Amino acid sequence: MMTVIKTDGEAHEKALNQVYELLKVLEEGMKSFFPRGSPTLNYTTKNLNLLDIVAGSVFCPFKTTEQVLGTKIIDPEKTPMLFSWVKALSELPLMKEATPPHEKLFEILKYFREICIKTPAA
């Protein structure tokens, strides 16, 4: 994902296509691992399992990343199971508390992307 943020032009498109392919693999893996649908979240407890924590830290700020890139990353039509899981995770109070504020993360990612695109690759 960092390559998508750090590049522009043809390299950006190539990196974005790789991310889409990996998300498809993840979606298919989730379908085989959770044949009844998305992983269930227990809304009555403050405890998350390790998979929820890792997935939440990677995917919950996806809307901010999409806004910075101007591109859809997690599409509810292409990866419905992943989308619904991430949406449910991001609505948990514990995950909301742990996720940086949208505006702050947006400014950081935007600045990082601008610097990376302006700096020629070594």
Side-chain angles (χ1 to χ4, degrees):
M1 194 65 212
M2 287 306 292
T3 305
V4 174
I5 294 171
K6 292 171 30 176
T7 58
D8 202 12
E10 190 176 316
H12 174 79
E13 290 301 318
K14 183 179 177 183
L16 195 54
N17 287 331
Q18 288 175 337
V19 167
Y20 291 148
E21 288 302 314
L22 291 172
L23 290 177
K24 283 182 197 175
V25 170
L26 179 59
E27 178 80 9
E28 291 305 312
M30 288 177 70
K31 286 178 184 176
S32 66
F33 198 73
F34 301 105
R36 295 187 189 139
S38 293
T40 57
L41 299 174
N42 186 348
Y43 294 102
T44 62
T45 179
K46 291 185 177 187
N47 297 324
L48 296 174
N49 64 44
L50 182 59
L51 182 58
D52 293 330
I53 293 167
V54 171
S57 65
V58 171
F59 294 117
C60 281
F62 80 95
K63 289 183 180 182
T64 306
T65 307
E66 289 179 344
Q67 188 178 359
V68 169
L69 296 173
T71 298
K72 198 86 166 142
I73 303 292
I74 301 179
D75 190 327
E77 292 180 18
K78 294 179 183 175
T79 54
M81 188 177 281
L82 177 62
F83 180 83
S84 64
W85 182 36
V86 170
K87 184 177 179 194
L89 275 173
S90 65
E91 292 172 357
L92 292 174
L94 188 60
M95 198 58 73
K96 285 181 180 180
E97 184 181 316
T99 304
H102 174 80
E103 297 79 20
K104 189 172 189 174
L105 185 58
F106 175 80
E107 290 302 322
I108 291 169
L109 286 176
K110 182 180 168 192
Y111 178 73
F112 179 73
R113 177 165 168 71
E114 288 170 357
I115 287 175
C116 290
I117 290 174
K118 289 178 184 177
T119 305

